Amino acid sequence: MLSRVLHYLLPLLLSATLCPGALAADQIIWGKHHVPPYMIREGPLAHQGIFDLTLDVLKENLPQYQHVELGAPFPRVISEIKRGAHWCYIGTLKTPEREGDGYFSLPTSIFLPLRIIVRRDRAAQFAGPQSLQRLLQNSQLVTSVMRNRSYSPTVDRLLTSYPPRESYSEQAEAISMLLAGRLDYMIELPLLAFDQARLMGRPDELVAIATLEADEVVFNRVMCPRNAWGKKVIEQVNTVLDANRDKPYYRSIVEKWHDPASVAEIRKIYDSVFLKTP
């Protein structure tokens, strides 16, 4: 009898453990993965990433929810949001395709333009600016892209037209492959790529090359599922953002980890573009 009861109860208990958002309407599962310096999940600087600190602002100002941070690869996070679970993610780009799966907040932080990232010892081969389209068309060069990631409108269109053969779930995996010579180049944010290489004990081994097509600044947002619960959460998130994004402490979060030249670029667009973008 006991074994029969356990047979029926065990799947329910496992479901509750793995999908706690299914049990409480007042709980938000925040998907988190290790992508320093945006999300820092481990080490002495844990939870000091740009997305981490921005999330702290939301958690502090949304006390009506139980906030649970759950480590998961980015594709899994997007999958949970798509299926309508009570998951959200801070740091997503809004695209027409994703708007069919979720609701998006006002911008929370800024991504400066993507670059072609290569090993320093191959920089002469990729003297820039480079045409990303030509690189993607060159079957002799190997690159890899993150599954379910949106890079920027221009880059997304090029990747759709010329899809790379390789893909990955974690940035550290791809940076390791680039440093090892298993990838020829990556399309990435210099801040992210350089920091990953530093954490791997390989500082100054990567360089960033400008592209001819993609020089876009894009904004990160909170994404929640496209259902009544997700819409309500996003409305409340927007209220918090409206009240805090123009404050000095919030500006310092957006600028954190950037070099002085990048900070200057962020400041040029913060009031005129970032705060005025719906």
Side-chain angles (χ1 to χ4, degrees), residues 122-255:
R122 297 187 62 184
Q125 179 184 349
F126 292 88
Q130 282 281 326
S131 167
L132 179 55
Q133 178 174 329
R134 289 182 182 176
L135 289 177
L136 291 169
Q137 288 176 315
N138 187 342
S139 60
Q140 301 303 308
L141 297 175
V142 180
T143 189
S144 184
V145 293
M146 176 176 270
R147 289 187 286 277
N148 294 334
R149 177 179 175 183
S150 175
Y151 285 80
S152 74
T154 298
V155 172
D156 288 349
R157 285 193 293 270
L158 289 172
L159 292 175
T160 298
S161 299
Y162 311 101
R165 298 188 301 272
E166 305 289 335
S167 63
Y168 61 89
S169 296
E170 299 287 351
Q171 271 90 354
E173 169 192 350
I175 296 296
S176 293
M177 292 176 68
L178 180 65
L179 289 168
R182 293 168 60 193
L183 297 178
D184 296 296
Y185 69 94
M186 284 182 61
I187 308 160
E188 194 49 272
L189 302 162
L191 179 63
L192 187 156
F194 296 163
D195 199 64
Q196 287 278 8
R198 177 187 62 80
L199 291 171
M200 294 173 182
R202 310 278 292 274
D204 302 320
E205 291 193 26
L206 300 178
V207 296
I209 311 295
T211 70
L212 293 174
E213 304 94 340
D215 203 31
E216 300 152 307
V217 174
V218 294
F219 302 136
N220 307 293
R221 303 167 186 262
V222 174
M223 180 183 181
C224 296
R226 196 166 187 82
N227 53 29
W229 179 88
K231 183 178 182 181
K232 179 182 177 182
V233 173
I234 290 297
E235 289 171 350
Q236 294 168 329
V237 165
N238 283 343
T239 298
V240 174
L241 294 174
D242 270 332
N244 288 275
R245 290 188 306 161
D246 63 346
K247 294 181 178 178
Y249 88 93
Y250 194 100
R251 293 170 185 261
S252 70
I253 292 173
V254 176
E255 295 174 2

Side-chain angles (χ1 to χ4, degrees), residues 71-84:
F74 182 70
R76 167 92 194 275
V77 176
I78 295 299
S79 176
E80 293 290 345
I81 292 174
K82 282 184 175 182
R83 74 180 186 86

